[in-house]
């Protein structure tokens, strides 16, 4: 019942969506810039004020999934992972 997520770090920090297998999204944050938790939550769609009360659960489902449901997406992301410049 464990959930997995995928975040990559380098010059940029990418938080990867795992829900979409056809066209997965990644949210990029510059590594040299400081972000507060509220700004990151807003960028990732966790801001309750923006779209309603169930936003946090819906947003979490995009980023955290059982490995059995996102194995293909994870393998694709890992295969395409390159060294950051």
């Amino acid at each position: 019942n464990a959930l997995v997520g995928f975040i990559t770090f380098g010059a940029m920090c990418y938080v990867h969506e795992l829900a979409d297998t056809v066209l997965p999204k990644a949210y990029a944050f510059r590594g040299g810039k400081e972000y507060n938790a509220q700004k990151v939550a807003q960028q990732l769609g966790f801001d309750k004020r923006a779209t309603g009360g169930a936003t946090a659960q819906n947003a979490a489902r995009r980023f955290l999934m059982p490995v059995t449901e996102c194995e293909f997406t994870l393998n694709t992301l890992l295969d395409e992972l390159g060294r950051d410049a």
Side-chain angles (χ1 to χ4, degrees):
N1 293 338
L3 301 176
V4 296
F6 193 62
I7 300 173
T8 55
F9 298 93
M12 300 287 284
C13 173
Y14 294 96
V15 180
H16 299 268
E17 279 191 15
L18 301 175
D20 192 354
T21 59
V22 178
L23 188 62
K25 289 184 189 177
Y27 294 81
F29 298 93
R30 286 191 309 206
K33 183 177 177 183
E34 287 191 35
Y35 298 90
N36 64 35
Q38 187 176 24
K39 183 68 173 173
V40 172
Q42 181 183 18
Q43 293 276 336
L44 298 178
F46 286 92
D47 187 8
K48 291 181 184 176
R49 292 171 286 150
T51 57
T55 303
Q57 273 190 341
N58 292 337
R61 287 186 191 130
R62 294 185 339 227
F63 300 105
L64 299 171
M65 298 182 71
V67 72
T68 55
E69 293 180 25
C70 64
E71 186 176 2
F72 177 77
T73 303
L74 277 174
N75 286 331
T76 302
L77 289 169
L78 288 169
D79 288 342
E80 296 176 356
L81 194 60
R83 187 168 185 88
D84 199 0

